[in-house]
Amino acid sequence: MPTIESILKETRIFSPAKEFSSKANIPSFEAYQALCAEAEDDNLSFWAKRAQEQIAWHKPFTQVLNDRMAPFFQWFSDGELNVSYNCLDRHLETQADKVAIIFESDDGEIIRSTYHDLHQRVCKLANALKSQNINKGDRVVIYMPMRIEAVVAMQACARIGAIHSVVFGGFSAKSLHERIQDAGAVAVITADEQVRGGKRNPLKLIVDEALSKADTAFVRLVVVYQRTGADIRFDPARDVWWHEFTENAGLQCEPEWVGAEHPLFTLYTSGSTGKPKGVQHSSAGYLLGTKESMQWIFDYKPADVFWCTADVGWITGHSYVAYGPLAMGATQVIFEGIPTYPNAGRFWEIIQKHKVTTFYTAPTAIRSLIKLGADLPEQYELSSLRLLGSVGEPINPEAWMWFYEKVGRSRCPIVDTWWQTETGSHMIAPAPGAIALKPGSCTFPLPGISAAIVDEAGHDVENGKGGFLVIKKPFPSQIRTLWGDSERFKEAYFSKDIGCGKYYVSGDSAYRDIEGYFWIMGRTDDVLNVSGHRLGTMEIESALVAHPSVAEAAVVGKPHEIKGEAVIAFVVLKGQYPHAEEITQITHTLREWVAKEIGPIAKPDEIRFGENLPKTRSGKIMRRLLRSLAKGEEITQDVSTLENPAILEQLKYPEK
């Protein structure tokens, strides 16, 4: 196989400040190397030690890894625990009155919940669910606004051993129906409405539509949280109000002790065919991954105020909102709204108000905030920040620099984290007190994570060349299977086409530079074959965004009879949408800019301008839609989850 070419050159480097390193959980590169050497020397002992230290076991494990049924690995399988107990009960003796969650609603209302309060709320809902014969192994779909109640619902399911499946509140009735049906859920927990950016989304109405088909008749309970008091349809045989449902429930609920491999949750992620995949995670291994990454990558300290901006509908909101911070006993911020409402300074205002110390968000949000006010952060007091984080996709170097200089004031390390729904927790990311940072690089694997870049035969490629990003050894937090589809699991993640099925195949392309730093180049299906050169789309996007006039860019390919594939760029400018007479000049300027930055081979054949890119309400760019637009295909997919479906019309043709 020809290797994937790296065309992005980045030479800036930022070493950890001595003051930060002196207090860090991993205080030096030598300490990081020692942990990696310990894991390499005896991988099973390494993970066993951490599982014993990090998890409160009801029944200790005696077997670390069972790999007889590989790739269906089992970790700590004869041990028993409860994840909710680990997140709540174990803190009650030492810090019951510590604030667990600072919640800020869309309209600015603030609610603080202590660990004692949160424990009682979880127990009440757990008892109420048990009263309806919802028990260990039952599936519960959660379709909630981003409020404390969403976390309570997840923790209550974990407490009774029910398997939750959270569906992002922006998904349509069709998408919700598919997930309910596939999971075989017996209950749905929702709200009358969701409020984001001053707009209401009728969640209960969407649930009703999703449950209107006969193949969801197994759902026997719908719990409705009253968020707005909207007039909704109510089926007394099935629907209950949350406040009435829990009113007389007990304040104590004995945890259901489950095996380490008991499924904690399933979370549906899009498949290449469009059919969602139900990623299944275990209890103990997943919990261990979230806790270790909180310590190693977020450098957690008891005085921290941690804010991950992700919705619980995504894996980031599972690992670094609902579970990781609570397992550590942290104080965290949960925000219901969007970063631009009622103004573009909302994020910075929240950091200032609540004295946030660790701020974890997505590159898409960062680029949007640059477009809306690059100098806005300077108007706020952000001195409480000590660590910044990036998640969800590769962050282009110029956005990294803005985040570092404008938000972190050139003193806060940025942990650029690579991981996936399927890995459960961070895989490649810098320990901020130990590793010098390069803008755009996720740096090095976590201790115990055997990440590598290989060709199709599974052989490591030389530094500077790109290939398939794989993980060679099993790790505790990894996906266990796809719900109800074990064959698809093996085909998707342990492909025999790459390394003979021995490795976890991430689906991402990457390369390592001469110093061993990892750089993510995008999904392998986003690699373009241009005149025999295999180019990662992320690097072309980074070059475009480096131009002073560009706020965002997304690059896809379309068939070309001579070159194989043509490079098609979709661009959002920082200023006003260009007039027709300006487009030719701007297009020429950007094409020449890319040629200068990374070479003529990467020049976009076509550039289309829009006021925005097609994104889900969580901020994810829908590249599959862009590929269809580039090819001139009709959009037949469900676009109800897009923030602004009308943008598709604007991006259809270059001249528009």
Side-chain angles (χ1 to χ4, degrees):
M1 177 196 98
T3 56
I4 301 167
E5 296 182 40
S6 169
I7 50 180
L8 179 68
K9 306 300 178 188
E10 178 56 60
T11 58
R12 293 168 288 193
I13 191 163
F14 299 85
S15 298
K18 290 182 179 178
E19 183 180 358
F20 190 101
S21 294
S22 67
K23 302 172 185 176
N25 295 334
I26 301 179
S28 66
F29 191 65
E30 291 72 26
Y32 162 77
Q33 288 178 309
L35 282 170
C36 293
E38 181 189 344
E40 186 64 30
D41 183 57
D42 189 340
N43 192 252
L44 298 190
S45 294
F46 175 85
W47 286 118
K49 176 184 176 183
R50 273 136 196 92
Q52 289 160 350
E53 292 173 348
Q54 296 290 356
I55 295 174
W57 294 93
H58 180 67
K59 175 189 171 187
F61 62 90
T62 62
Q63 184 178 30
V64 183
L65 172 64
N66 180 347
D67 59 0
R68 290 191 298 271
M69 299 294 289
F72 301 97
F73 300 104
Q74 295 185 335
W75 287 86
F76 324 117
S77 56
D78 60 345
E80 292 182 359
L81 76 159
N82 181 276
V83 171
S84 177
Y85 178 91
N86 273 268
C87 291
L88 301 173
D89 304 56
R90 70 183 303 186
H91 303 309
L92 295 182
E93 287 188 12
T94 58
Q95 53 176 35
D97 294 329
K98 180 178 181 178
V99 174
I101 296 174
I102 303 168
F103 169 73
E104 183 161 325
S105 71
D106 191 64
D107 63 4
E109 178 191 14
I110 296 170
I111 299 171
R112 290 177 170 83
S113 181
T114 65
Y115 275 91
H116 176 265
D117 297 333
L118 195 60
H119 177 263
Q120 289 196 338
R121 294 177 68 174
V122 168
C123 285
K124 284 172 71 71
L125 181 58
N127 282 326
L129 291 171
K130 287 173 68 176
S131 74
Q132 297 300 307
N133 293 317
I134 295 172
N135 298 301
K136 177 181 174 181
D138 286 334
R139 275 82 64 203
V140 177
V141 164
I142 298 171
Y143 187 64
M144 290 285 291
M146 188 58 187
R147 296 179 65 88
I148 295 175
E149 288 76 16
V151 175
V152 169
M154 296 167 75
Q155 289 280 343
C157 289
R159 194 165 196 86
I160 64 176
I163 303 166
H164 65 66
S165 185
V166 183
V167 179
F168 175 59
F171 275 128
S172 66
K174 178 178 180 294
S175 297
L176 179 60
H177 167 265
E178 289 175 345
R179 288 153 174 77
I180 292 170
Q181 200 278 332
D182 190 73
V186 299
V188 176
I189 302 176
T190 188
D192 52 2
E193 291 185 312
Q194 175 188 57
V195 183
R196 294 180 77 247
K199 299 176 182 177
R200 294 185 174 191
N201 186 31
L203 297 187
K204 177 57 164 60
L205 180 67
I206 294 169
V207 169
D208 290 340
E209 184 180 343
L211 295 179
S212 64
K213 298 181 180 180
D215 60 1
T216 56
F218 42 73
V219 175
R220 61 178 188 263
L221 175 70
V222 176
V223 181
V224 186
Y225 170 68
Q226 194 171 42
R227 166 64 181 92
T228 65
D231 185 21
I232 62 172
R233 195 178 80 190
F234 211 81
D235 179 355
R238 185 194 66 192
D239 301 346
V240 293
W241 288 111
W242 178 310
H243 60 279
E244 294 176 355
F245 185 54
T246 60
E247 187 175 11
N248 297 316
L251 296 176
Q252 296 294 325
C253 177
E254 178 69 13
E256 179 74 27
W257 304 108
V258 300
E261 282 297 313
H262 178 74
L264 176 62
F265 64 86
T266 63
L267 183 59
Y268 286 85
T269 183
S270 298
S272 57
T273 63
K275 183 180 185 296
K277 302 177 293 188
V279 172
Q280 179 179 315
H281 275 290
S282 71
S283 294
Y286 171 79
L287 182 65
L288 178 60
T290 63
K291 288 199 72 176
E292 285 294 15
S293 51
M294 284 291 299
Q295 293 197 131
W296 288 339
I297 305 305
F298 290 127
D299 193 51
Y300 171 72
K301 301 291 191 294
D304 278 337
V305 177
F306 181 84
W307 184 21
C308 168
T309 66
D311 190 282
V312 292
W314 311 111
I315 189 63
T316 307
H318 281 57
S319 301
Y320 302 111
V321 176
Y323 291 112
L326 296 179
M328 295 304 300
T331 295
Q332 67 171 315
V333 172
I334 291 180
F335 175 47
E336 182 181 36
I338 60 175
T340 56
Y341 179 84
N343 57 66
R346 187 71 184 270
F347 269 13
W348 320 129
E349 180 186 292
I350 290 173
I351 292 170
Q352 175 181 276
K353 188 187 308 178
H354 302 301
K355 294 182 168 47
V356 171
T357 62
T358 305
F359 179 56
Y360 191 40
T361 195
T364 301
I366 294 166
R367 290 190 293 265
S368 296
L369 290 164
I370 293 171
K371 182 175 186 286
L372 291 165
D375 297 326
L376 261 180
E378 296 176 348
Q379 300 175 24
Y380 294 85
E381 174 54 62
L382 305 181
S383 61
S384 63
L385 288 170
R386 71 178 193 90
L387 185 65
L388 304 174
S390 170
V391 60
E393 60 180 297
I395 181 170
N396 56 285
E398 294 313 312
W400 193 102
M401 288 301 304
W402 179 86
F403 200 29
Y404 181 74
E405 294 173 348
K406 297 294 187 179
V407 180
R409 312 290 162 84
S410 300
R411 59 177 179 75
C412 298
I414 297 176
V415 290
D416 178 3
T417 60
W418 178 83
W419 59 297
Q420 300 176 308
T421 301
E422 294 85 352
T423 70
S425 59
H426 300 154
M427 295 289 103
I428 309 175
I435 294 174
L437 307 174
K438 295 184 179 183
S441 170
C442 51
T443 71
F444 297 102
L446 276 65
I449 303 302
S450 300
I453 300 166
V454 301
D455 60 21
E456 285 176 327
H459 301 134
D460 289 8
V461 302
E462 60 185 275
N463 285 357
K465 299 292 185 181
F468 299 99
L469 178 56
V470 302
I471 301 175
K472 291 187 172 182
K473 294 180 182 178
F475 52 95
S477 68
Q478 75 185 72
I479 179 177
R480 293 307 192 255
T481 189
L482 291 174
W483 182 261
D485 200 342
S486 57
E487 284 304 311
R488 190 182 183 194
F489 162 73
K490 287 191 290 186
E491 291 170 8
Y493 303 110
F494 291 86
S495 170
K496 291 182 179 179
D497 294 335
I498 301 170
C500 302
K502 294 183 295 183
Y503 307 144
Y504 170 84
V505 179
S506 70
D508 280 342
S509 58
Y511 77 98
R512 296 179 77 171
D513 65 21
I514 198 67
E515 295 173 292
Y517 279 67
F518 280 73
W519 300 77
I520 307 301
M521 301 170 72
R523 300 294 293 169
T524 52
D525 56 7
D526 287 334
V527 173
L528 308 181
N529 194 336
V530 181
S531 300
H533 299 268
R534 289 165 56 82
L535 309 177
T537 57
M538 186 279 293
E539 298 189 315
I540 305 174
E541 292 168 6
S542 291
L544 283 163
V545 174
H547 190 278
S549 66
V550 176
E552 287 191 276
V555 169
V556 298
K558 77 172 184 180
H560 189 282
E561 61 182 11
I562 297 173
K563 296 194 295 184
E565 278 188 286
V567 178
I568 311 300
F570 296 85
V571 168
V572 179
L573 299 175
K574 289 179 181 175
Q576 297 294 316
Y577 182 75
H579 297 296
E581 59 271 17
E582 299 174 314
I583 287 178
T584 301
Q585 180 57 46
I586 296 172
T587 299
H588 174 76
T589 299
L590 293 180
R591 291 184 77 243
E592 293 308 310
W593 172 268
V594 171
K596 177 174 173 289
E597 288 286 296
I598 54 179
I601 190 65
K603 285 170 66 170
D605 295 79
E606 192 178 292
I607 299 179
R608 305 186 188 184
F609 297 93
E611 294 170 4
N612 212 322
L613 297 174
K615 301 175 189 172
T616 65
R617 293 187 182 103
S618 68
K620 183 177 180 180
I621 298 170
M622 298 293 285
R623 295 174 190 276
R624 203 180 303 160
L625 294 178
L626 291 179
R627 282 193 285 271
S628 293
L629 289 173
K631 295 174 186 176
E633 298 172 345
E634 283 300 314
I635 303 295
T636 58
Q637 302 170 52
D638 179 12
V639 297
S640 61
T641 59
L642 291 182
E643 191 75 54
N644 179 14
I647 203 68
L648 297 175
E649 193 64 31
Q650 190 180 57
L651 295 172
K652 261 188 179 180
Y653 305 105
E655 62 270 20
K656 293 188 178 182

